[in-house]
Amino acid sequence: MAEAWPRRGEPYVLVFTDPLCPFCQRLEAGLAGDDALKPYVRFAPVLGHEGSYEAWLFRLVHEGWSEDEARVWLERGAEEARASGVRLTPTTVVVDGGVSKKTLVGFTAYARWRKEVMDALAGR
């Protein structure tokens, strides 16, 4: 996932997310207040809902991207996400040493998700 954003070294937490997915929204709401975990997170754009492209574009422009660079990233990142085979959002992959240490498919509660991710990061 070379196009995942923001670019970070390993270990990192790759989150395949669709801004219009209600479970993704709940996950990202939890992440917004989690200063300990945010430095590890990278996002891969999934465009599973009608309007997801536009929602991603709005988000990136709001983050300070130019519209042109946001569109290029969305095209590349969405292609990588499609090629990965991810079908359900959010899907989270903890990566360290070029290896997937943990994969979480779906989302129920932030505390549980966070514990599983932090355990995988600690097990490095």
Side-chain angles (χ1 to χ4, degrees):
M1 293 299 304
E3 294 300 324
W5 163 77
R7 287 182 168 66
R8 301 187 191 284
E10 292 186 22
Y12 61 85
V13 178
L14 179 61
V15 180
F16 292 86
T17 185
D18 181 327
L20 299 182
C21 161
F23 297 101
C24 297
Q25 291 170 353
R26 288 179 29 215
L27 170 59
E28 289 197 50
L31 273 172
D34 193 336
D35 292 337
L37 194 50
K38 274 194 284 190
Y40 293 99
V41 175
R42 298 179 72 189
F43 295 100
V46 176
L47 306 176
H49 292 84
E50 185 175 330
S52 295
Y53 182 92
E54 292 79 8
W56 262 112
L57 186 61
F58 177 82
R59 176 183 184 172
L60 295 171
V61 169
H62 182 73
E63 291 280 338
W65 295 47
S66 74
E67 187 171 331
D68 288 341
E69 69 185 351
R71 287 183 186 278
V72 168
W73 180 81
L74 273 170
E75 294 299 326
R76 289 180 181 162
E79 180 57 36
E80 282 187 342
R82 277 190 296 277
S84 77
V86 166
R87 298 284 180 251
L88 183 66
T89 56
T91 293
T92 304
V93 182
V94 179
V95 177
D96 192 11
V99 176
S100 170
K101 298 292 186 181
K102 178 89 173 184
T103 300
L104 303 167
V105 179
F107 178 81
T108 54
Y110 189 76
R112 179 178 176 204
W113 178 90
R114 185 184 193 281
K115 180 182 181 340
E116 291 191 46
V117 168
M118 293 302 276
D119 287 351
L121 287 170
R124 343 181 3 209

